């Protein structure tokens, strides 16, 4: 599992989302990327009903097609202090959540998906996907993974240069906000970090009203 | 007042002890001792143990005087001390009387001490007798119990030494290692291990356990301690009968063979007569039988794979041998050798195996065990998860394995493939070793040093070959890294070029010779640079020309002196023979002829004269070159 950076590519006014995605695909194709399948990251949210007591807690259940056997779950409890508990589980976890439907109710309308194509260039893995929330387009997400390295601080410069080559000035010179807290730049990168980045972006997309 | 006596007034000194002085100078006096306190203090000073009667008398009279004077001077009475004084006086009187008496009695002149006769006490004989009897009985019982204990332990020790061990105890020990069940008055044991280890080989091996009343001294029971030096003298009450096909000793033999002939000739000193296998205890007998089962299973598995695998030269399974070809011309032979017992108790030896490779045999054992372990299905966590996937697959979820890891998990190699791979690597490594050793001993001018990395695997090794000249290794050193895989070598030279060589050893020899040649010319160039000479032309691949040997390469270069008046041309061929020629730029032998009239054409020079290289002074090529360059460098003064 290499270091993965997730970027939200802003859609220019005169273009639609899919067109932007096409444009990025063309650019990455020009660099010599080879298409190698599709990818899908989806997120379903459950919130705890009144039977639990206390402020309502949310559970986000995410799947990543890159890790087909795993299910990621993040529990956000707002009660003081607010904390997020991550979990990586086998596929049976989905069935468990189904069984707990009386306690944790799923909000079907907030199901978010990032779907698109994945490309391989040398040691990099690029995924360009469109984010939809119950078939409403929300934005374009670009995920870039550098496979050989698993410490973000060691390869941030390299990845920034690579991303700027086909994304342009959208890429900032400082690492994304996810990596700037908790000394994450020097920690070993886990698949869970990718999922948390996806969750952050999905949350920001949810806040944007309608598109 | 009389004229002879003087009255002395005694009074305590007025001075009082100063207790403390305040900061303003005021003194606080300690209260002075009263008369009784003073007397107490003095009385405490008396040491009764030290002084003699006269002194005591003196002291007492002193005290008395003090007391009297105290009485006279002050009013308070000293009654508490009065009784003490009286008692002391009485004690003194008595002790002095006793002392006098004893001294007189010692003299034996006036007083003699005589004992006073006592009445004899009345005797009660019966009481005494009874008392004595009781004490004797107690002592006797203690002694008897001790003797009884000693007798018991002696009897037990004798029993353990000479008689056979108890059948049931032996059975208990047997049950600790093997499964036993009772069927119709006989006890049947189970040698198979497929249930416990995940093996798929269903071959039932059963053995029978019987009591042995006859011939008790032939059977042995396993030693109690794991110390191999302790002689095993215990005989067993247990007899173990192993089925016929599992009797004897079996093992898997692995060796290499070249083209139907034996690769190595064997000179094993095996006796011609068959020998009889000595009697071993039942534990080892059962272990040996289980080993036979294991070897049979391994051979079955290998034979199955050999038949199923597709390979360019098909593997041959003949009788108890599997012949797989590694390289064209070299074969790997795996055979199951089973030393069986014939009916008269003597064993017949199998034909001697040439140069059995124990490493590969160990590999085979390891691989089969690995196979068993993989098939061993773990209980899934949680209990509702499907039963079936291997341990790695069930952990794939929680460890978030990605697609590449999944693909890796599904790829697997059969046992035979893995063994063939390792055998190939072994052969290739041996060949590479031979070639490099031969070259290192053959070539002395640039030295070849070979370093094998210690970090390797059964299918990979890495070698670092350094070519350098003695004394000039700081100037230039040629490095080649050789990665040895199973069927090919990857050589990386100093300039980064990667070459893949096959298993033919001549290719490696050719490559190394080219590198040696290259080293010579490169080293000369670096040496020239450090001496101020310039290289004006070089060529690394001149080919071998008309020489018969086809290995290696020739290379050459031309150097020009710092001033520019001398030229050296060096040609180095594949046998490290060098040809060096020297030229001078203003030609000494220029004569204007018909065509070339002007003097200026003498500067073209370039008629090279060969140097007699064997006569040059110098240890190796580079030192000779250094000498040559030094001698040809002309100074500005000339």
């Amino acid at each position: 599992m290499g270091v993965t950076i997730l970027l939200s590519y802003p859609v220019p006014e005169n273009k639609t989302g899919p067109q932007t995605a096409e444009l990025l695909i063309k650019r990455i194709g020009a660099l010599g990327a080879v298409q190698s399948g599709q990818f899908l990251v989806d997120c379903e949210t459950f919130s705890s009903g009144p039977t639990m007591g206390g402020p309502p807690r949310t559970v986000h259940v995410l799947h990543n097609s890159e890790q087909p056997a795993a299910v990621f779950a993040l529990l956000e409890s707002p009660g003081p202090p607010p904390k997020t508990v991550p979990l990586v589980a086998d596929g049976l976890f989905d069935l468990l959540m189904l069984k707990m439907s009386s306690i944790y109710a799923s909000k079907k309308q907030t199901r978010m998906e990032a779907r698109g194509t994945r490309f391989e260039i040398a040691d990099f893995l690029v995924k360009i996907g469109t984010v939809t929330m119950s078939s409403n387009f929300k934005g374009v997400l670009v995920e870039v993974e550098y496979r050989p390295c698993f410490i973000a601080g060691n390869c941030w410069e390299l990845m920034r240069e690579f991303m700027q080559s086909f994304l342009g000035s959208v890429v900032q010179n400082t690492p994304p906000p996810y990596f700037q807290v908790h000394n994450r730049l020097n920690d070993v990168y886990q698949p869970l970090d990718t999922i948390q980045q996806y969750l952050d972006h999905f949350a920001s997309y949810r806040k944007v009203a309608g598109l | 007042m009389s004229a002879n006596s003087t009255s002395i007034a005694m009074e305590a000194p007025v001075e009082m002890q100063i207790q403390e002085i305040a900061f303003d100078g005021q003194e606080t006096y300690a209260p002075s001792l009263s008369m009784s306190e003073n007397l107490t203090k003095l009385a405490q000073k008396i040491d009764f143990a030290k002084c003699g009667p006269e002194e005591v008398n003196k002291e007492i009279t002193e005290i008395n005087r003090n007391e009297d004077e105290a009485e006279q001077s002050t009013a308070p009475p000293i009654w508490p001390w009065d009784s003490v004084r009286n008692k002391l006086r009485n004690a003194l009187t008595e002790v002095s009387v006793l002392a006098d008496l004893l001294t007189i009695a010692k003299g034996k002149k006036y007083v003699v001490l005589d004992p006073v006769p006592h009445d004899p006490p009345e005797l009660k004989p019966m009481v005494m007798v009874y008392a004595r009897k009781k004490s004797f009985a107690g002592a006797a019982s203690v002694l008897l119990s001790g003797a009884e204990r000693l007798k018991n332990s002696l009897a037990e020790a004798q029993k353990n030494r000479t008689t056979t061990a108890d059948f049931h105890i032996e059975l208990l020990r047997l049950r600790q290692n093997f499964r036993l069940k009772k069927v119709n008055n006989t006890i049947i044991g189970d040698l198979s291990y497929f249930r416990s280890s995940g093996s798929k080989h269903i071959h039932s091996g059963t053995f029978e356990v019987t009591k042995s009343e006859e011939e008790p001294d032939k059977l042995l029971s396993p030693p109690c301690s794991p110390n191999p030096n302790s002689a095993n003298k215990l005989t067993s009450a247990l007899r173990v009968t192993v089925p016929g096909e599992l009797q004897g000793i079996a093992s898997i033999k692995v060796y290499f063979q070249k083209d139907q002939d034996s690769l190595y000739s064997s000179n094993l000193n095996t006796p011609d007569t068959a020998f009889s296998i000595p009697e071993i205890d039942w534990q080892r007998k059962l272990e040996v039988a289980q080993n036979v089962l294991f070897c049979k299973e391994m051979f079955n598995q290998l034979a199955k794979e050999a038949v199923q695998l597709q390979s360019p030269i098909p593997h041959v399974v003949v009788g108890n041998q599997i012949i797989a070809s590694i390289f064209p011309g070299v074969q790997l032979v795996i055979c199951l050798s089973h030393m069986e017992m014939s009916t008269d108790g003597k064993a017949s030896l199998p034909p001697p195996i040439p140069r059995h490779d124990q490493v590969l045999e160990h590999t085979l054992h390891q691989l089969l065990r690995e196979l068993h372990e993989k098939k061993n299905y773990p209980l899934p966590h949680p209990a509702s998860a499907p039963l079936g996937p291997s341990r790695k697959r069930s952990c794939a979820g929680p460890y978030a394995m990605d697609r590449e890891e999944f693909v890796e998990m599904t790829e697997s190699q059969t046992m035979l493939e893995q063994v063939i791979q390792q055998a190939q690597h072994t052969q290739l490594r041996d060949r590479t070793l031979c070639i490099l050793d031969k070259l290192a001993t053959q070539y002395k001018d640039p030295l070849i040093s070979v370093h094998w990395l210690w970090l390797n695997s059964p299918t990979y090794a890495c070698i670092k070959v350094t070519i350098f000249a003695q004394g000039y290794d700081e100037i230039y050193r040629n490095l080649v890294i050789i990665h040895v895989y199973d069927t090919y070598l990857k050589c990386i030279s100093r300039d980064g070029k990667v070459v893949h060589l096959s298993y033919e050893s001549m290719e490696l020899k050719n490559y190394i010779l080219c590198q040696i040649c290259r080293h010579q010319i490169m080293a000369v160039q670096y040496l020239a640079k450090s001496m101020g000479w310039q290289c004006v032309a070089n060529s690394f691949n001149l080919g071998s020309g008309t020489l018969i040997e086809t290995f290696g390469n020739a290379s050459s270069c031309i150097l020009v002196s710092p001033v520019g008046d001398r030229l050296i041309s060096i040609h180095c061929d594949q046998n490290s023979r060098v040809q060096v020629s020297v030229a001078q730029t203003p030609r000494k032998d220029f004569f204007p002829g018909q065509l070339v009239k002007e003097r200026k054409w003498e500067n073209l020079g370039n008629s090279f004269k060969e140097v007699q290289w064997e006569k040059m002074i110098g240890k190796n090529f580079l030192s000779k070159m250094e000498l040559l360059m030094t001698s040809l460098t002309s100074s500005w003064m000339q």
Side-chain angles (χ1 to χ4, degrees):
Chain A
M1 181 71 208
V3 177
T4 311
I5 309 263
L6 199 59
L7 267 186
S8 164
Y9 190 76
V11 179
E13 280 91 34
N14 52 348
K15 289 214 165 60
T16 65
Q19 278 179 340
T20 320
E22 283 293 321
L23 173 72
L24 289 175
I25 291 173
K26 235 185 290 194
R27 278 198 209 157
I28 198 94
L31 277 179
V34 170
Q35 179 167 345
S36 61
Q38 306 277 321
F39 82 98
L40 166 67
V41 176
D42 62 48
C43 166
E44 197 159 329
T45 316
F46 297 80
S47 68
S48 71
T51 53
M52 283 270 286
R57 290 185 252 189
T58 34
V59 176
H60 301 278
V61 175
L62 292 108
H63 304 87
N64 191 348
S65 62
E66 199 66 24
Q67 284 99 24
V71 167
F72 303 88
L74 288 132
L75 167 70
E76 285 168 6
S77 65
K83 57 182 192 278
T84 310
V85 179
L87 170 73
V88 183
D90 196 44
L92 294 172
F93 188 76
D94 285 331
L95 304 173
L96 186 68
M97 285 309 289
L98 275 180
K99 288 223 186 292
M100 294 211 297
S101 54
S102 56
I103 308 169
Y104 275 101
S106 114
K107 295 191 243 170
K108 275 283 178 323
Q109 54 270 42
T110 54
R111 192 196 142 94
M112 302 201 64
E113 266 185 14
R115 193 188 286 266
T117 36
R118 76 194 269 268
F119 297 90
E120 288 179 24
I121 315 175
D123 287 329
F124 287 94
L125 192 61
V126 177
K127 292 182 192 158
I128 298 170
T130 48
V131 180
T132 54
M133 176 156 121
S134 42
S135 54
N136 296 330
F137 171 79
K138 287 288 178 184
V140 173
L141 271 181
V142 178
E143 180 193 321
V144 175
E145 178 183 346
Y146 181 58
R147 286 214 215 102
C149 181
F150 49 77
I151 295 182
N154 290 352
C155 64
W156 158 248
E157 294 294 322
L158 175 68
M159 292 188 76
R160 179 178 60 85
E161 240 182 83
F162 174 70
M163 289 196 288
Q164 277 174 345
S165 70
F166 72 99
L167 291 175
S169 56
V170 176
V171 182
Q172 310 289 325
N173 286 337
T174 54
Y178 180 76
F179 287 99
Q180 285 175 358
V181 296
H182 296 309
N183 197 21
R184 283 206 186 107
L185 272 180
N186 294 327
D187 273 342
V188 173
Y189 193 84
Q190 307 275 345
L192 204 58
D193 293 324
T194 315
I195 291 298
Q196 281 183 321
Q197 287 187 63
Y198 266 106
L199 193 64
D200 291 339
H201 278 94
F202 285 163
S204 61
Y205 279 135
R206 250 185 230 129
K207 289 199 196 100
V208 172
L211 222 177
Chain B
M1 262 198 297
S2 67
N4 296 335
S5 65
T6 326
S7 59
I8 302 170
M10 293 206 31
E11 55 185 26
V14 181
E15 292 173 356
M16 285 181 282
Q17 293 261 336
I18 297 178
Q19 195 178 23
E20 70 174 279
I21 304 177
F23 284 116
D24 54 356
Q26 194 163 14
E27 292 160 339
T28 320
Y29 294 103
S32 59
L33 292 175
S34 66
M35 278 301 123
S36 58
E37 284 171 1
N38 203 9
L39 187 59
T40 319
K41 199 169 79 172
L42 289 172
Q44 278 171 356
K45 284 191 199 161
I46 302 173
D47 187 2
F48 288 104
K50 224 196 298 180
C51 50
E54 304 85 16
E55 293 172 21
V56 170
N57 271 331
K58 226 194 292 177
E59 292 210 299
I60 288 182
T61 45
E62 269 183 32
I63 290 172
N64 288 340
R65 210 184 300 139
N66 274 346
E67 278 181 357
D68 294 339
E69 284 173 0
E71 268 184 18
Q72 283 165 12
S73 57
T74 58
I78 15 179
W79 281 115
W81 294 104
D82 202 30
S83 64
V84 173
R85 180 203 55 198
N86 291 337
K87 286 199 176 116
L88 277 175
R89 202 184 270 162
N90 294 340
L92 178 65
T93 319
E94 285 185 27
V95 166
S96 21
V97 165
L98 184 59
D100 294 339
L101 186 62
L102 282 173
T103 36
I104 295 171
K106 206 166 77 167
K108 286 207 182 112
K109 240 163 115 178
Y110 306 107
V111 174
V112 166
L113 294 172
D114 267 337
V116 176
H118 286 285
D119 297 327
E122 53 177 285
L123 265 176
K124 292 193 192 125
M126 285 318 291
V127 173
M128 278 182 60
V129 164
Y130 282 130
R132 274 198 200 132
K133 195 173 169 184
K134 200 164 152 194
S135 47
F136 275 133
S141 67
V142 167
L143 286 171
L144 273 173
S145 67
E148 189 68 43
R149 221 180 285 167
L150 277 174
K151 221 195 310 182
N152 282 348
S153 67
L154 197 66
E156 240 181 62
Q158 272 190 345
K159 196 167 67 160
N160 281 346
R161 236 183 301 124
T162 57
T163 63
T164 62
D166 192 20
F167 174 73
H168 294 291
I169 293 178
E170 292 275 304
L171 199 63
L172 193 69
R173 283 167 79 189
L174 184 61
R175 261 201 91 196
Q176 278 171 351
N177 293 335
F178 293 96
R179 271 193 294 263
L180 299 172
K181 60 179 186 242
K182 195 167 163 92
V183 173
N184 294 345
N185 287 349
T186 51
I187 303 175
I188 305 278
D190 193 13
L191 272 180
S192 62
Y193 51 84
F194 54 88
R195 266 185 232 118
S196 55
S197 72
S199 151
K200 288 287 196 189
H201 188 233
I202 318 269
H203 184 299
S204 67
T206 56
F207 61 93
E208 199 183 316
V209 179
T210 49
K211 259 193 205 175
S212 75
E213 274 91 24
E214 67 285 348
E215 324 166 337
D217 46 337
K218 267 213 191 157
L219 300 168
L220 296 173
S221 83
C224 310
S225 69
N227 184 6
N229 295 330
S230 66
N232 191 14
K233 291 208 192 69
L234 296 172
T235 54
S236 165
L238 205 71
R239 182 202 293 274
V240 161
T241 324
V242 171
E245 69 264 17
L246 295 182
Q247 272 182 8
I249 303 174
S251 66
I252 298 274
K253 303 260 186 241
V254 182
Y255 60 95
F256 292 101
Q257 183 178 296
K258 212 177 201 183
D259 277 348
Q260 298 306 117
D261 302 330
S262 201
L263 190 59
Y264 312 100
S265 65
S266 65
N267 287 325
L268 299 171
N269 294 330
T270 53
D272 290 307
T273 58
F275 63 97
S276 61
I277 300 173
E279 188 63 45
I280 50 177
D281 56 75
W282 46 257
Q283 171 76 12
R284 279 178 53 203
K285 209 194 273 195
L286 290 172
E287 281 174 8
V288 163
Q290 211 170 38
N291 190 36
V292 172
L293 198 58
F294 185 75
C295 290
K296 281 196 182 215
E297 180 192 347
M298 191 185 323
F299 194 76
N300 276 350
Q301 175 78 14
L302 285 171
K304 230 190 313 185
E305 287 170 8
V307 168
Q308 280 172 354
L309 275 182
Q310 315 270 349
S311 78
I313 304 174
H315 311 301
V316 176
V317 180
V318 172
N320 65 342
Q321 281 191 346
I322 300 174
I323 303 175
S325 69
I326 312 175
F327 297 128
V330 179
Q331 281 120 18
L332 179 73
V333 180
I334 304 171
C335 87
L336 171 72
S337 86
H338 191 171
M339 211 169 2
E340 286 187 355
M341 312 275 285
S342 45
T343 47
D344 54 355
K346 299 224 195 289
S348 57
L349 286 174
I353 301 293
R355 277 281 206 108
H356 159 65
D357 191 343
Q358 286 174 339
V359 175
L360 288 179
E361 183 196 355
H362 177 72
T363 310
L364 279 172
H365 278 259
Q366 267 189 328
L367 285 174
L368 189 61
R369 290 221 190 263
E370 215 180 279
L371 206 66
H372 289 170
E373 224 183 80
K374 264 196 222 156
K375 296 272 173 58
N376 206 358
Y377 296 121
L379 281 177
H381 295 98
S384 56
L387 171 76
S390 63
R391 201 170 284 131
K392 208 167 176 200
R393 172 66 187 85
S394 12
C395 289
Y399 286 136
M401 284 193 191
D402 49 354
R403 293 141 67 121
E404 282 91 17
E405 290 176 24
F406 265 99
V407 167
E408 252 178 78
M409 233 198 296
T410 54
E411 282 173 355
S412 65
Q413 273 185 319
T414 61
M415 260 174 67
L416 191 63
E417 272 177 347
Q418 286 176 320
V419 159
I420 288 176
Q421 224 180 5
Q422 287 187 20
Q424 281 172 334
H425 176 75
T426 310
Q427 282 287 298
L428 194 59
R429 199 177 56 209
D430 287 342
R431 281 186 195 182
T432 312
L433 186 71
C434 275
I435 291 287
L436 287 173
D437 276 350
K438 252 194 269 186
L439 286 174
T441 49
Q442 199 178 346
Y443 286 92
K444 295 288 188 232
D445 189 351
L447 294 171
I448 305 176
S449 107
V450 176
H451 171 70
W452 289 74
L453 259 64
W454 65 272
L455 206 60
N456 51 19
S457 87
T459 49
Y460 169 78
C462 184
I463 320 169
K464 190 158 101 160
V465 178
T466 316
I467 305 169
F468 61 97
Q470 190 182 18
Y472 293 90
D473 48 345
E474 299 282 320
I475 305 250
Y476 182 74
R477 217 191 305 199
N478 200 4
L479 270 173
V480 176
I481 307 269
I482 305 180
H483 298 276
V484 183
Y485 295 100
D486 46 2
T487 48
Y488 65 98
L489 301 171
K490 186 158 84 167
C491 305
I492 306 172
S493 65
R494 193 188 152 138
D495 50 356
K497 293 210 187 84
V498 177
V499 172
H500 290 256
L501 301 173
S502 78
Y503 51 82
E504 296 285 342
S505 35
M506 292 299 122
E507 290 183 19
L508 180 64
K509 186 172 174 191
N510 180 33
Y511 183 75
I512 299 285
L513 287 174
C514 293
Q515 290 292 321
I516 290 173
C517 208
R518 190 190 180 86
H519 164 84
Q520 297 281 55
I521 298 300
M522 289 295 297
V524 155
Q525 285 184 12
Y526 275 80
L527 181 67
K529 209 189 323 187
S530 69
M531 298 191 64
W533 285 62
Q534 269 182 330
C535 169
V536 293
N538 64 6
S539 164
F540 287 113
N541 301 304
L542 289 180
S544 45
T546 52
L547 292 173
I548 303 170
E549 298 109 26
T550 50
F551 296 123
N553 228 340
S555 30
S556 70
C557 82
I558 298 181
L559 304 169
V560 69
S561 73
V563 182
D565 60 341
R566 301 272 204 258
L567 287 161
I568 302 181
S569 143
I570 306 156
H571 175 96
C572 174
D573 77 353
Q574 55 264 39
N575 292 329
S576 270
R577 278 193 300 264
V578 282
Q579 285 168 313
V580 180
S581 319
V582 171
Q584 213 174 357
T585 331
R587 287 177 70 149
K588 294 249 162 58
D589 54 351
F590 178 76
F591 295 102
Q594 285 281 330
L595 290 169
V596 185
K597 291 205 174 87
E598 293 174 38
R599 193 80 202 166
K600 66 180 179 185
W601 295 111
E602 71 172 2
N603 289 327
L604 273 183
N606 295 356
S607 87
F608 280 89
K609 289 191 272 240
E610 192 166 337
V611 175
Q612 282 181 323
W613 204 242
E614 306 78 39
K615 298 222 176 112
M616 278 291 287
I617 304 164
K619 213 170 19 169
N620 53 19
F621 168 65
L622 279 179
S623 63
K624 291 183 187 174
M625 279 307 303
E626 193 179 1
L627 180 63
L628 183 65
M629 283 196 272
T630 319
S631 62
L632 290 179
T633 306
S634 50
S635 66
W636 287 100
M637 291 303 170
Q638 281 178 348

